[in-house]
Amino acid sequence: MLFRSLSKHHVTVQNVRFVSDIMERNMDRVHPETPIAEIVKVIDLHKVHRVAVVDHQDKLLGMISDKDLFAKFSSHRVHLWSLLMSKVPILKSAKLYEEILKVSNAKTASDIMKKDLVTISEDAPIWEAIKRMTEHRLKRLPVIDDHGIFRGLISRDSVLRVDRKSVV
């Protein structure tokens, strides 16, 4: 968000070299026991594509993307993707929303989260983030500290906005 604001005002950012320089810190978090219905609300109301699943000390346990969430509802996948693509808020389609919750076996965040995450630290150089994202074909990379505490996310978009000279 910072880079969007800066680019609108034609401000150039230089000496951007570390993940901490370009990561997004204001990410939605849920706990493992958070009900699926609540996660759907968070994704819908905040217009986000993913949430971090953290313990009560903010240690990263997993991630849930809107794609992961919809994959759980395989018999309704076509309808859900149509809904998503048309950008109609999920909660406004109450009947479909109720159907989704009925067909899902998942009850909480821990039932649906991806646990095998590729992560990076805040103090890693940007080139290392690019390398990991490329090797693992990732659009986003969770950022953690030395204790596994979730600090934010680095996205492909934020990497692409960085001046090449800064990364080397």
Side-chain angles (χ1 to χ4, degrees):
M1 291 228 230
L2 171 66
F3 275 83
R4 282 188 208 133
S5 174
L6 292 174
S7 65
K8 267 198 267 184
H9 299 289
H10 306 289
V11 175
T12 303
V13 178
Q14 296 178 336
N15 298 322
V16 175
R17 295 184 290 176
F18 299 102
V19 168
S20 61
D21 296 329
I22 62 171
M23 63 186 263
E24 185 172 334
R25 297 174 190 278
N26 298 327
M27 295 293 305
D28 286 298
R29 293 164 168 81
V30 297
H31 296 291
E33 64 276 4
T34 303
I36 295 297
E38 188 62 33
I39 297 166
V40 170
K41 287 179 187 177
V42 169
I43 287 176
D44 184 51
L45 293 175
H46 297 158
K47 307 286 187 242
V48 295
H49 296 283
R50 61 197 22 77
V51 294
V53 181
V54 298
D55 66 13
H56 292 283
Q57 286 76 44
D58 238 12
K59 184 175 180 182
L60 182 64
L61 302 175
M63 296 289 290
I64 300 173
S65 71
D66 53 1
K67 186 178 176 182
D68 299 329
L69 191 59
F70 292 130
K72 283 292 187 187
F73 315 118
S74 59
S75 64
H76 291 68
R77 189 174 297 157
V78 174
H79 300 293
L80 286 171
W81 281 113
S82 298
L83 181 64
L84 180 65
M85 295 308 290
S86 67
K87 301 201 188 269
V88 173
I90 295 169
L91 296 178
K92 289 189 179 175
S93 179
K95 185 176 179 182
L96 181 57
Y97 178 69
E98 287 173 11
E99 273 185 52
I100 289 168
L101 293 179
K102 285 178 190 174
V103 300
S104 172
N105 290 331
K107 305 266 190 267
T108 65
S110 63
D111 296 330
I112 196 171
M113 69 183 181
K114 284 193 176 179
K115 298 174 190 171
D116 58 337
L117 302 175
V118 176
T119 62
I120 196 158
S121 68
E122 294 179 90
D123 56 353
I126 293 173
W127 64 262
E128 179 65 30
I130 294 169
K131 181 180 173 193
R132 288 186 195 182
M133 293 171 85
T134 304
E135 286 174 354
H136 298 279
R137 297 178 181 232
L138 300 171
K139 291 181 183 177
R140 291 165 187 86
L141 192 58
V143 180
I144 58 172
D145 69 10
D146 294 337
H147 304 287
I149 304 299
F150 181 65
R151 295 295 183 201
L153 202 66
I154 184 171
S155 70
R156 182 173 55 190
D157 291 342
S158 62
V159 169
L160 291 173
R161 284 192 288 274
V162 175
D163 181 14
R164 259 196 203 150
K165 293 177 245 171
S166 300
V167 176
V168 185

